[in-house]
Amino acid sequence: MTPNLWETNTPQKFWRLEPDPPAETWNQAIQNSIPVLGFPPAINSLEDVLAYSLGEARFGKNHFKMGSIRYLYYLLKPYLPRSAIFRLRHLAGSLLGANMTKSWPVEARYVKFQWEILRQVLLLSEKQEISFRYFWPEGKEYAFVLTHDIETAEGQRLVPVLADMEEALGFHSMFNFVPEVYPLDWGLIRELQTRGFEIGVHGLKHDSRMFDSFEHFQKRSKSINGYFQKFQARGFRAPLTIRNPEWMQSLEMEYDLSFFDTDPYEPIPGGVMSIWPFTIGRFTELPYTLPQDCTLYKIMGQTTPQIWLNKIDFLKKYHGMALVIVHPDYSAEGKVREIYGTFLREMSERSGYWSALPGAVTDWWQQRAADEMTPSGQPFGLARATLVENNLKILLPVPSDELMIISQYC
Ligand SMILES: [Zn+2]
């Protein structure tokens, strides 16, 4: 029998209410909130809900197996010109993800489910307000995480362009290298680490073959596990986001970045619906929550970062994690570099978010779920959730004792 890799992601652990209500209140609040998800009536237990949302079970039993058409496309991909690849992806995205476009780029159902549970807890407890261990350090409204996947030697050559752009505006990011495709520039890897960037492992080769069979996956996993050590890396992203939560348990990363809240344009379209980190078996998952750079420019034909900024407004409203993937291979030159530059400048002018590396987010999220103290040894800040005319409002913890109303249920 397949173990339920998502079962620890209970609403109780998500909210960390203080004081914690009795189990029957939680159970009733969950039952009352399940209809918000709009899942089929048979999905009526928390276990099923978690598998259906975080586990992507709503896309069918064979979801993590690549379909034959998609498989053929990704086998041919190395031999096709880039313009043909993006035209095919657009076509594939609109065919495969046709019924997903209404939940992209914003998939709000799981988010509203969590909010509804807390509202139900208050109603069932006949309380006007309750405290919970706030999601992010120092009362920041949301987390902001920059990541890069380097797919080619040319991409590796362009890494310093992105690193310099980010550093100049006070940001640091994660760079994921593919161990066995291009000759690794070890000087660059160590220099990035010294400058405060984080290094991750992006598969072993950059192809769709890793998930061909379990045996093949196991073989590659062993090599990948060796690279966590060599790279001094804690995190992993699967090439082409081809993913399998069960098989990936044999990878020895602390956290993974191969899943996303919603994306109809990937080889395996779908999404975990969560805008926060969560647990998949033995590792922490940090889903990306902003459309990929290539989707934005090549598929949606965007010339500005507006789609990203709009999504950030949603993530901020629900105190989520804004996590983006940008490829130096095609975002470090020409007009598209300007789109990323504009995005970073716009973000640098905003405030109220926690700009963090994936490793720091993982530490924070794990300790928030398990420990009494934050990674820096402080007590966790408590936010208050309060009912105002039956709607939930979140009052953020702030350094002074004053509380600030910033978020509203809708
Ligand atoms: Zn990649």
Side-chain angles (χ1 to χ4, degrees), residues 23-35:
E24 55 269 29
T25 305
W26 278 116
N27 293 340
Q28 192 57 52
I30 290 165
Q31 281 306 315
N32 293 356
S33 306
I34 286 176

Side-chain angles (χ1 to χ4, degrees), residues 324-339:
V324 69
I325 306 178
V326 166
H327 297 78
D329 310 78
Y330 36 85
S331 290
E333 289 185 306
K335 277 186 192 156
V336 288
R337 182 174 70 188
E338 237 349 270
I339 301 175

Side-chain angles (χ1 to χ4, degrees), residues 149 151 202 206 239-240 327:
D149 296 345
E151 307 195 334
H202 189 34
H206 200 274
L240 311 160
H327 297 78

